[in-house]
Amino acid sequence: MHNFFRKLSIRARSPPAPKKKSSANNMLKKNSSGLLRFIRNNDKPDEEPTFDMPMHLMIQVIDRMPFFEQIRQSRVCKEIKEHIEEKYSKIKKLELRKRDINEACASDDAFERHSKAYVAVKIEKDTACVVIDDAWVVADFYVFLGILEVLREGVETVEMDAPIAELIVIYMSDISLERWYAFQCILKAFNDVYEDLHLDSGFIADRDTFWPKCSDIVIHATKAQAAALGRILDYGVKSGYVFDRRTMDHLRLEFEDLEGFDEDKAINKQIYYFR
Amino acid sequence: MSVEPEVPIVQVEEVRENPVLYKIISSDNHVFTISEHAVKLSKTLWDLITNLGLTAENALDNPIPVENVNGKNMETIVQFCERHKYDEEEPEYTNYIREFVLPEWDRQLLSIDNEELFQLILATNYLDIQKLMDYCCRVIGDMAKDKTPEELRIIYGIPTDAEDDALERSASDSPGPSG
């Protein structure tokens, strides 16, 4: 029922902000000396003893945690962070979908859902599938893009839905995600009035390629999503910042509900812009 | 290799199908009997047995001393190996399986306090028992799930990056053996 109302509302509530740590915890963060351990262990003497866990064992423990927990714990220290980065740089195929998160998770047990955001991930061997809810909000964008940051380095093949292609380009542009979300809400509210609404931005400065090793990109779209493709040009992000043209073999656009190019001129126009 | 057992031999589940048994002596001189199928789960022990050339005839006369594992942990390990000796070999660990549920028997075996669990994981790592390692890591992982990275650093004695750098600096600044 909660999700039902969430979908009705374009002002869906963001997940609650993380609680602020107490000043005592900050002290512990800065210094894990024996004295502070002693102070801490006095609070919970039986539950949390201090071990000198060898790093290779700690890494094995982290490896067996859920995906989101691994990412969170990569902040523990440099070794764990490097291990996580190295591990996920082996992901070669990425599938990015915008769909009903409940249906996606119900249809496949392997999906691991984020505790707060409406985002789920499934990792099998060298393939990762990331799903964001079709009634997405800004908080979902941040989690989704955070996952892409972890997985992007070694990716060679990407399959994604058209709105996600637009989201990635926005992420790389100078436009804030909040502003873009507001724009999306306006589009949703006034879609019938303003058919061809655009949010322009100047060209962005040079930056690293988002998918430096990518050779195949497939974008799935429907007629309703064609406008997202047409808008990609507006945000001032050169294609070279998304993928490296030298490594790119195929960039394919697949429409799920389009018979031929001549039937809908409005869609043809959006495809033309995208191309 | 003629260590006299100082305490009564701990008998494990009787092996009917395979008569080959080995004796293991823990660091505190407890003696354990373990079947061939079970001992194969430990790469370290099996390598030792093959390198020592122990056979069905001389296995019980030549107990294997394991200095790094105490009797309590060895008992848990022997129980685990006997329980899982006929399990199909699992593929090398790849990715986290969300729906993984620790079997009830193993859950009870690993329902020990944190200090014992930590000692057990060290022993398991030394004896190189993949399945038990997997289970122990998952139990510790579940315990660590709600902890912040700062809390994990404290619980498992992991220095922060700044502390690491400071240690490295002090090590490089301090005079070496020659000077």
Side-chain angles (χ1 to χ4, degrees), chain B residues 117-141:
Chain B
L117 187 62
F118 178 68
Q119 295 301 331
L120 181 63
I121 200 172
L122 291 180
T124 306
N125 179 55
Y126 173 70
L127 294 175
D128 199 356
I129 306 168
Q130 192 199 325
K131 191 163 196 160
L132 183 55
M133 191 69 186
D134 193 25
Y135 285 8
C136 288
C137 285
R138 283 177 195 278
V139 171
I140 292 184

Side-chain angles (χ1 to χ4, degrees), chain B residues 52-117:
Chain B
L52 289 172
L54 297 184
T55 59
E57 290 74 37
N58 64 6
L60 283 172
D61 300 330
N62 295 291
I64 305 159
V66 181
E67 297 291 335
N68 296 12
V69 183
N70 64 26
K72 189 160 190 171
N73 285 328
M74 188 59 86
E75 188 179 353
T76 308
I77 286 167
V78 168
Q79 282 179 10
F80 181 89
C81 290
E82 289 293 344
R83 174 82 180 187
H84 292 282
K85 63 187 173 186
Y86 296 126
D87 288 2
E88 279 182 24
E89 201 163 320
E90 287 182 6
E92 191 81 6
Y93 167 78
T94 49
N95 279 316
Y96 179 80
I97 303 159
R98 190 169 63 100
E99 291 301 319
F100 178 85
V101 179
L102 201 64
E104 179 58 23
W105 188 91
D106 299 284
R107 195 179 60 77
Q108 285 191 2
L109 186 76
L110 299 177
S111 295
I112 48 182
D113 68 44
N114 293 349
E115 180 65 40
E116 285 176 31
L117 187 62

